Structures are given as C-alpha cells and as structure tokens.
C-alpha cells in the first residue's frame, strides 16, 4: 500500500466539508464575519468602530470604513514596533512584504498566528484535499515536494519578529514534519540571492523523487531550466519520472503553459491554480476541466466586491468608495468585473486588495482573476485590462507558434507625428517568424474582446495600431535584479497608464 493511500484518510473529512461551498456560501460568510467581529472587538480598531455592538453585515458597512494600505499604514507600523491589540488581538510578529504592486512602495501585511493557520496553511491543505479528490490514483506523498520560497529579514530588530516574502514566512513556520518530504533544505529555500538559490535548488532536487512542485510559474521555470542544463536531459520526466502536479499561482499561467507542456510531456501531469497572496489565500481550481477557481469561504476572510464602472473609478488607490457600489458575496452577479475587498483575521478591515475578478458561477461561487485595479491602460478611454491582454497574447501565440516569457505595455500619448498608440515590450522564449504579424493578431484580438478598445481603434482615429518591441533575452530579469526583486513572489507589471516602468526597461534593452 502506498503512503498516499494511507495519508488520504487525513484529507477526507475536509473533502466532505468543502461540499458546503456548493450551497451554503452566504451562511459560511456570515459566520466568518461574526467570528472576526467577536475576535477583534477588544482591539483598538474594534473599540473605535464598536464591533461589540454590531449585529451583522449592515452594521458593519454602516460603521466600518473602506481602507487602502495608506489608511492602515500607521497602525501596521505600530504593530511592527511591537504594539499589541491594534488591528488584531495580541501581538503580530510576522509581516509579508507585498510584491506585485505597480509602484515602488513596499507594503507590510500582518500575518497573525490565526491567519497563518486558518488562512494560508488552510489553503495549502485544501489544495491537496481537492487534488486528491480529483485524482484517486495519486501517489503524491510517495515522493518529495519542491516548494519555491523567497527570503525574510529582521523586523525593526525586534526579537522573533520578521518581515519577508509570504512564501518565506510559510516555510519558516511550517510543521517540522513537512521538511521530511520537501526540497530544498530550509537554508537553501530562504536564500536571498535568487541566482545562487536557483542553482542550489536544482542540485539538491535533481536526484530526489519529486512528485509535486509549487511556486510562481516564472521563477519555477527558471529553476527547472537550470536543472535541465545541469542534467543534460530534454524532458523533466527523465529527471523526475513520478512528477504529477504543479500547484501554481502568483501570475497568470497562460503565457507559460506551452513552455511547461514542452518541458513536461508526461500525460500524467496535472496543473492546479491557486489564488494565494500576501493578504490571504482566496481561491482554488477545484475542477481540472474548468479554469475558474472556487472562492474559499470558511477561512478567516470576509469578502466584499465593488463593481467596476465603465469610467474605472475603482482603479485608484483612493478609499473614497460608495457603499452603494459594494456588495457582499450573496449580492454578486455573474460576468461583472469586481474589485475585491477583504476583512481578515490578520487585521485587514474592508481592505482594497487591488485585484479584480469576474464570477463565472454563483452556485457555487467560482471566479477568474481579471487583473489588478492599478494594472490597466485607460489613457484614451480604451479600458484595457490584464484579462484582455492575456487573451490577446494567447491568440497571437496560437496563430504564430510563438511563446511569450514576459511582457509589459504602456501608452504612447503622442509621438512626433501627434499619433497615440499602445507600446508593447515582449520577451519571447520562442519568437514569431514575423513580428508584425504577431502585433497585428494581438491588436485584432484585443478589439474582439474589448469593445472600448475597438472603438478607439476605429479607422485609427484615436489609437494607432499597437507597437511591438522585442525584448532581449533576460531583460525583465535584469530589470528586477536592479530593483532587488529577482525571485520570490515578485512580478513584472503587465499594464500601466504610466511609462515609468517601460521607459526603464527600454533603456536596458540593448
């Protein structure tokens, strides 16, 4: 009997409990809100807004304001200096340094002991539970897990208090028994220099029986390619014949899927998307045939959703938001684009996380990530979001056989000929034979999936055809390295109304 067949019993109660997500979404969420308010009623924040007197959601929205990081920054900084019972009960010692923002500000997200266990680790547990449910023949626990992580550093030199990538926090606090079935060793996993870390991970993992891998697709691909160079093998299953699943998240998988399918040709390979961020663990792909994810409703996260209007008023960092445009889970509708707000057992209250999603189902509540509220181009009323960009690139790649590694795009507001356009900088792992054809196909598909973009492109009156510049090999990694953001959970900004990032990249593209 395999080890997995024995371990499977541990996950079966949770598999049954997850069935409540199918029909009891509202009840689960109301229970979460009640728990959060009760737990935080004696904190400074809870006393200020009278959590103890709140009877339910209506009281909550009528008295508790919507927040961005700026509104909570002062309280979080006090918590980082050791103050207790500020936004959440007790002392919070761990802070996830947020990445994936479209500016240079660092955000330090509190990770309370309860949040660590009942949000972040709960998400990891459920990932395995759902995977085992969908794959009864799995031998997941008969080998090792390769888990990529970032690094951490002391927090204001306070004893036992650290700040770093969420992945590093999870590795640092993981049950010691888990280290028996994971690679690389902890010291390697927490190295700060990604280039050194990548080589050490490859060397430590290449001779292990790895059955599952977890991490951000871009950084995992870098590690795997390094290992393939070391081993001289062509396909990953030649190194790890029992590899069966990649738990991925952090960035959209679409640009990387073809590269993974070429690297891993085994018909037994599976891919499972997770939606885990510094602020919490929110969703899991529960059906391999469905690209949407199940919203996880019984963790320490209460969700609200702000409908994004056509004028993109939700795209700013301002918290000046009308409650009339915000609905709880039971008020959402399919096929609308929403900005997500969360209240969590880490002390975030009605917090605008910055991500946008679209529900594909409300029974159960399933969704796809459509982008970030600050990652879009709306310089001329075109309202281009990341979801549009991913669809356009996927179409152009399919038609030309090209493969995209990284990309970013920004507007050219007016050139020497008074013409406006979008400028795309793309690093290909497999470039198209005809760059202009690729650009045309991308532009064509963007018009098909975005009516506002199509209207602005009409007869080239407002927007000229997009401009595509091919990035040299390694450009985006070099840019991230210069900014001290190579590896971990750091991401390349995809779309921006500002030319700040693309201009920096273009200067390096020589």
């Amino acid at each position: 009997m395999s080890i997995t067949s024995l371990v499977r019993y541990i996950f079966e109660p949770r598999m049954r409990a997850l069935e409540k997500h199918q029909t009891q979404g509202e009840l689960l969420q109301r229970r979460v809100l009640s728990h959060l308010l009760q737990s935080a009623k004696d904190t400074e924040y809870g006393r200020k807004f009278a959590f103890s007197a709140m009877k339910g959601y209506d009281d909550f929205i009528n008295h508790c304001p919507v927040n961005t990081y700026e509104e909570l920054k002062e309280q979080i900084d006090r918590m980082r200096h050791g103050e207790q019972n500020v936004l959440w009960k007790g002392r919070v010692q761990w802070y996830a340094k947020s990445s994936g923002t479209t500016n240079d500000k660092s955000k330090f997200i509190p990770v309370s002991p309860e949040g660590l266990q009942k949000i972040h680790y709960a998400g990891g547990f459920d990932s395995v539970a759902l995977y085992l449910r969908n794959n009864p023949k799995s031998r997941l626990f008969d080998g090792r897990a390769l888990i990529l992580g970032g690094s951490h550093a002391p927090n204001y030199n306070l004893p036992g208090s650290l700040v770093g990538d969420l992945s590093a926090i999870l590795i640092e606090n993981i049950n010691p028994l888990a280290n028996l079935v994971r690679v690389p060793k902890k010291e390697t996993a927490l190295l700060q220099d990604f280039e050194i870390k990548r080589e050490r991970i490859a060397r430590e993992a290449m001779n292990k029986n790895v059955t599952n891998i977890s991490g951000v697709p871009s950084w995992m691909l870098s590690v795997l390619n390094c290992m393939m160079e070391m081993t001289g093998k062509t396909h990953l299953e030649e190194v790890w014949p029992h590899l069966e699943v990649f738990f991925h998240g952090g960035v959209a998988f679409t640009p990387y899927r073809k590269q993974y399918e070429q690297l891993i040709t085994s018909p037994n390979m599976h891919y499972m998307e997770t939606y885990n961020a510094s602020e919490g663990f929110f969703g899991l792909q529960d059906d391999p045939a469905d690209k949407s994810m199940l919203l996880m409703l019984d963790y320490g996260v209460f969700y609200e959703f702000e409908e994004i209007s056509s004028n993109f008023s939700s795209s700013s960092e301002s918290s000046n938001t009308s409650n009339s445009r915000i609905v709880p889970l039971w008020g959402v509708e399919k096929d609308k684009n929403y900005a997500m707000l969360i209240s969590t057992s880490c002390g975030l209250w009605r917090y605008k996380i910055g991500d946008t999603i679209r529900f594909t189902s409300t029974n159960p509540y399933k969704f796809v990530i459509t982008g970030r509220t600050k990652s879009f181009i709306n310089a001329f009323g075109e309202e281009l979001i990341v979801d549009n960009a991913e669809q356009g690139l996927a179409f152009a790649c399919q038609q030309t056989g090209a493969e995209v590694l990284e990309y970013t795009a920004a507007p050219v507001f007016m050139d020497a000929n008074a013409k406006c356009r979008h400028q795309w900088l793309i690093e290909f792992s497999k470039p198209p034979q005809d760059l202009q054809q690729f650009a045309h196909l991308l532009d064509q598909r963007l018009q098909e999936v975005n009516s506002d973009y199509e209207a602005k492109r009409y007869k080239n009156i407002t927007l000229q055809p997009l401009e595509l510049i091919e990035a040299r090999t390694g450009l985006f990694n070099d840019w991230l390295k210069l900014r001290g953001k190579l590896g971990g959970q750091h991401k390349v900004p995809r779309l921006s109304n500002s030319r700040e990032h693309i201009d920096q990249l273009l200067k390096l593209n020589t």
Side-chain angles (χ1 to χ4, degrees):
M1 181 177 288
S2 74
I3 297 174
T4 305
S5 62
L6 296 173
V7 174
R8 181 183 291 272
Y9 292 108
I10 298 173
F11 294 89
E12 287 185 351
R14 182 55 182 166
M15 294 180 197
R16 292 190 294 270
L18 284 170
E19 293 175 4
K20 294 180 180 178
H21 281 62
Q22 303 288 326
T23 57
Q24 300 182 32
E26 180 177 347
L27 175 62
L28 292 173
Q29 276 288 277
R30 287 190 183 275
R31 285 177 177 172
V32 169
L33 179 59
S34 178
H35 170 73
L36 293 176
L37 295 175
Q38 179 66 23
S39 298
K41 66 179 182 179
D42 294 323
T43 64
E44 178 184 299
Y45 198 84
R47 292 193 301 270
K48 180 178 181 180
F49 295 105
F51 281 7
S52 61
M54 291 184 182
K55 303 300 183 185
Y57 180 65
D58 289 342
D59 287 343
F60 183 56
I61 63 170
N62 287 332
H63 295 92
C64 188
V66 171
N67 293 297
T68 65
Y69 185 79
E70 291 304 317
E71 276 80 38
L72 300 179
K73 183 178 180 180
E74 184 268 334
Q75 291 100 319
I76 290 174
D77 199 56
R78 286 167 49 207
M79 292 167 67
R80 289 183 62 202
H81 279 87
E83 288 193 41
Q84 301 184 38
N85 302 311
V86 181
L87 293 172
W88 189 250
K89 59 184 179 180
R91 183 187 174 198
V92 178
Q93 294 180 288
W94 290 88
Y95 296 86
K97 189 174 182 179
S98 178
S99 58
T101 59
T102 54
N103 57 36
D104 292 328
K105 291 187 301 182
S106 293
K107 299 180 181 180
F108 300 93
I109 307 301
V111 182
S112 69
E114 181 175 330
L116 189 66
Q117 296 298 328
K118 296 185 178 180
I119 300 177
H120 295 291
Y121 285 143
F125 188 90
D126 283 354
S127 301
V128 176
L130 288 170
Y131 177 74
L132 292 177
R133 184 198 69 181
N134 293 331
N135 298 277
K137 296 182 180 180
S138 170
R139 297 178 69 95
L140 190 76
F141 289 98
D142 289 60
R144 301 290 191 93
L146 170 59
I147 304 174
L148 288 191
S151 60
H152 57 59
N155 171 52
Y156 288 137
N157 294 317
L158 293 178
S161 185
L162 295 173
V163 61
D165 289 342
L166 173 68
S167 55
I169 293 173
L170 297 178
I171 290 172
E172 182 65 43
N173 289 279
I174 201 168
N175 188 313
L177 292 176
N179 290 317
L180 300 176
V181 295
R182 61 172 293 275
V183 289
K185 59 186 179 183
K186 187 175 177 180
E187 307 90 86
T188 300
L190 296 176
L191 282 172
Q192 187 168 10
D193 189 314
F194 181 72
E195 292 173 305
I196 295 174
K197 177 191 292 190
R198 175 177 55 192
E199 183 175 337
R200 289 191 184 178
I201 291 174
R203 291 193 183 280
E204 289 181 27
M206 58 194 288
N207 295 316
K208 299 292 192 299
N209 176 29
V210 173
T211 61
N212 60 101
I213 55 179
S214 303
V216 177
S218 52
W219 303 123
M220 180 62 76
L221 190 63
S222 180
V223 170
L224 297 180
N225 284 333
C226 178
M227 189 170 65
M228 300 309 287
E229 291 177 10
M230 289 181 179
T231 61
K233 304 296 184 182
T234 304
H235 299 116
L236 194 57
E237 58 265 35
E238 296 177 78
V239 181
W240 297 329
H242 301 116
L243 181 67
E244 59 177 87
V245 61
F246 179 22
F247 299 101
H248 61 85
V251 298
F253 192 53
T254 302
Y256 306 97
R257 179 175 291 277
K258 192 169 184 180
Q259 296 170 70
Y260 275 93
E261 291 175 346
Q262 290 173 342
L263 181 62
I264 310 168
T265 59
S266 169
N268 299 318
M269 185 63 185
H270 303 90
Y271 298 90
M272 184 173 179
E273 185 171 10
T274 66
Y275 181 14
N276 53 327
S278 299
E279 296 85 355
F281 200 117
F282 309 127
L284 285 168
Q285 186 179 6
D286 68 324
D287 181 354
D290 185 355
K291 292 183 179 180
S292 59
M293 287 182 279
L294 181 70
L295 191 67
M296 309 312 293
L297 304 177
D298 58 355
Y299 299 172
V301 182
F302 180 77
Y303 302 96
E304 296 177 89
F305 303 91
E306 180 187 4
E307 184 177 347
I308 296 182
S309 61
S310 58
N311 64 8
F312 261 66
S313 62
S314 290
S315 299
S316 73
E317 278 290 291
S318 171
S319 61
N320 295 326
T321 299
S322 169
N323 276 332
S324 64
R325 295 182 56 237
I326 297 176
V327 295
L329 180 71
W330 51 92
V332 301
E333 299 177 38
K334 287 173 55 179
D335 301 323
K336 286 188 175 181
N337 213 29
Y338 292 101
M340 193 161 74
L341 288 72
I342 58 171
S343 298
T344 78
S345 55
C346 292
L348 301 179
W349 298 103
R350 305 197 76 195
Y351 180 83
K352 299 180 77 168
I353 187 175
D355 288 344
T356 60
I357 69 171
R358 173 173 53 83
F359 283 93
T360 59
S361 166
T362 55
N363 188 25
Y365 290 95
K366 300 184 72 170
F367 67 96
V368 293
I369 301 170
T370 55
R372 289 187 59 82
T373 56
K374 294 184 69 179
S375 185
F376 64 93
I377 303 177
N378 193 36
F380 313 102
E382 65 274 43
E383 298 183 4
L384 192 73
I385 62 176
V386 173
D387 187 52
N388 303 151
E390 298 289 346
Q391 290 188 56
L393 289 169
F395 176 77
C397 286
Q398 182 184 39
Q399 296 297 310
T400 64
E403 296 172 12
V404 171
L405 186 63
E406 296 286 0
Y407 73 92
T408 194
V412 174
F413 293 96
M414 192 172 291
D415 62 16
N417 299 312
K419 301 294 185 182
C420 304
R421 64 187 181 279
H422 288 181
Q423 189 176 61
W424 291 67
L425 181 61
I426 302 179
E427 182 179 341
F428 294 96
S429 55
K430 181 181 178 183
Q433 290 186 346
D434 187 334
L435 205 63
Q436 292 305 313
Q437 180 196 20
F438 187 96
H440 173 74
L441 291 167
L442 171 58
D443 189 71
Q444 172 189 325
R445 186 59 175 163
L446 292 177
Q447 294 182 58
E448 292 172 357
V449 301
N450 184 319
S451 59
D452 292 304
Y453 182 81
E454 180 184 33
K456 299 304 179 289
R457 285 283 294 109
Y458 180 68
K459 293 187 177 181
N460 300 342
I461 295 174
T462 303
L463 274 178
Q464 300 295 300
L466 65 84
E467 175 189 6
L468 197 160
I469 300 172
E470 184 175 359
R472 63 170 174 78
T473 301
L475 172 66
F476 287 90
N477 276 0
D478 290 347
W479 180 71
L480 286 169
K481 186 177 181 180
L482 284 174
R483 293 158 56 89
K485 293 187 175 184
L486 186 64
Q489 295 173 287
H490 301 297
K491 310 163 194 174
V492 172
R494 296 308 194 191
L495 306 178
S496 177
N497 255 358
S498 164
R499 290 194 55 82
E500 177 187 1
H501 297 126
I502 199 169
D503 282 342
Q504 292 172 359
L505 284 155
L506 287 171
K507 287 181 180 178
L508 292 175
N509 194 36
T510 54

